[in-house]
Amino acid sequence: MRITRTSVFVDDQAKALEVYTRLLGFEVRHDIPLGEHRWLTVVSPEEPDGVEVVLEPNEHPAARAFTEALAADGIPSTSFTVDDVEAEYDRLTGLGMTFTQPPTPTGPVVTAVLDDTCGNLVQLVSAAPA
Amino acid sequence: MDDGADAVFRALADPTRRALLDALLERDGQTLFELCTRMADTGVGSSRQAISQHIDVLAGAGLVHVRREGRYRLHDLDTTPLHPLRERWLRAEKRNRP
């Protein structure tokens, strides 16, 4: 058994595509029309054959209630690894993205939490500077 | 006799709640998740649910304010309820000293 995909619920797939590619820097892996929505996945350019993130419509009322409740308490829907959280924080705030939590040292890692504007908070993690 | 200080003393009489006030000293406007992150870093192993209940006690004593900003619930520190405690057992002559 292998983990090849993980999903986040998004309120708008077109907007999510913009945010996850143009701002976060991922690349489209699958974009297949599927009725009203699309089978839309992105991968990291650093790992083109790595885990795909499925940008999944949050059409189900429970999906919306779930993401809203998590966001209210500042809880991330998912988490990505970066080389340097501080540098990503500077880059992404420069692009107009909002963080609910600035870079914060937590034991062996530094974490920050940003709003993907599609309904989710996303945690960024890097190893603490030596 | 409750002179209004009971809730403050009760709120302070717990190491996790004191650690939460320490964490809020870092910055205002923290989410529950950020507070839990900072708690974990100080070695407090409480669950998110337990920390949420501690925050309710602090809010009840007026030491923490919870506000809604957009989609988030944010927490601010307010040390105003501590001011009367600082003065209370000072003798008059000390109180008048600058």
Side-chain angles (χ1 to χ4, degrees):
Chain A
M1 208 178 286
R2 292 172 300 141
I3 298 173
T4 53
R5 283 177 209 100
T6 179
S7 63
V8 291
F9 291 112
V10 297
D11 59 8
D12 178 336
Q13 284 187 305
K15 181 176 64 175
L17 181 60
E18 274 289 295
V19 170
Y20 279 75
T21 57
R22 199 171 55 79
L23 298 180
L24 296 185
F26 296 134
E27 289 172 352
V28 176
R29 178 68 189 267
H30 290 109
D31 186 358
I32 301 165
L34 212 66
E36 193 187 332
H37 300 294
R38 310 141 77 164
W39 173 249
L40 181 61
T41 76
V42 296
V43 289
S44 166
E46 295 168 46
E47 281 182 328
D49 297 318
V51 175
E52 295 168 62
V53 174
V54 183
L55 302 174
E56 187 159 341
N58 74 344
E59 221 179 22
H60 195 290
R64 281 195 289 272
F66 170 71
T67 50
E68 275 167 25
L70 290 185
D73 279 337
I75 300 170
S77 303
T78 190
S79 179
F80 299 130
T81 299
V82 298
D83 290 336
D84 181 349
V85 164
E86 287 279 358
E88 283 295 329
Y89 175 80
D90 291 341
R91 183 180 78 83
L92 292 168
T93 49
L95 292 171
M97 295 203 88
T98 302
F99 281 72
T100 60
Q101 182 202 304
T104 307
T106 314
V109 295
V110 179
T111 65
V113 179
L114 68 89
D115 189 330
D116 78 352
T117 72
C118 306
N120 302 288
L121 297 178
V122 173
Q123 184 181 52
L124 302 182
V125 184
S126 67
Chain B
M1 185 198 75
D2 183 357
D3 52 9
D6 280 12
V8 177
F9 281 116
R10 238 191 325 266
L12 295 174
D14 180 278
T16 301
R17 291 199 284 272
R18 292 195 295 273
L20 277 166
L21 296 180
D22 293 337
L24 276 168
L25 202 53
E26 293 291 323
R27 69 181 202 101
D28 279 329
Q30 295 187 47
T31 62
L32 174 62
F33 182 81
E34 178 170 351
L35 286 168
C36 291
T37 299
R38 291 183 188 274
M39 285 297 97
D41 194 43
T42 61
V44 175
S46 306
S47 68
R48 193 175 286 150
Q49 181 65 21
I51 287 176
S52 177
Q53 283 166 1
H54 283 306
I55 291 171
D56 288 345
V57 175
L58 291 167
L63 290 163
V64 169
H65 293 297
V66 188
R67 67 186 150 97
R68 187 94 197 185
E69 189 178 298
R71 303 163 49 229
Y72 325 120
R73 245 190 323 268
L74 303 180
H75 303 83
D76 299 328
L77 177 67
D78 183 359
T79 54
T80 313
L82 300 180
H83 296 168
L85 308 185
R86 208 166 50 191
E87 298 291 315
R88 180 164 175 171
W89 290 286
L90 284 182
R91 293 209 159 92
E93 63 269 24
K94 295 213 169 175
R95 231 176 263 181
N96 294 337
R97 222 176 270 170

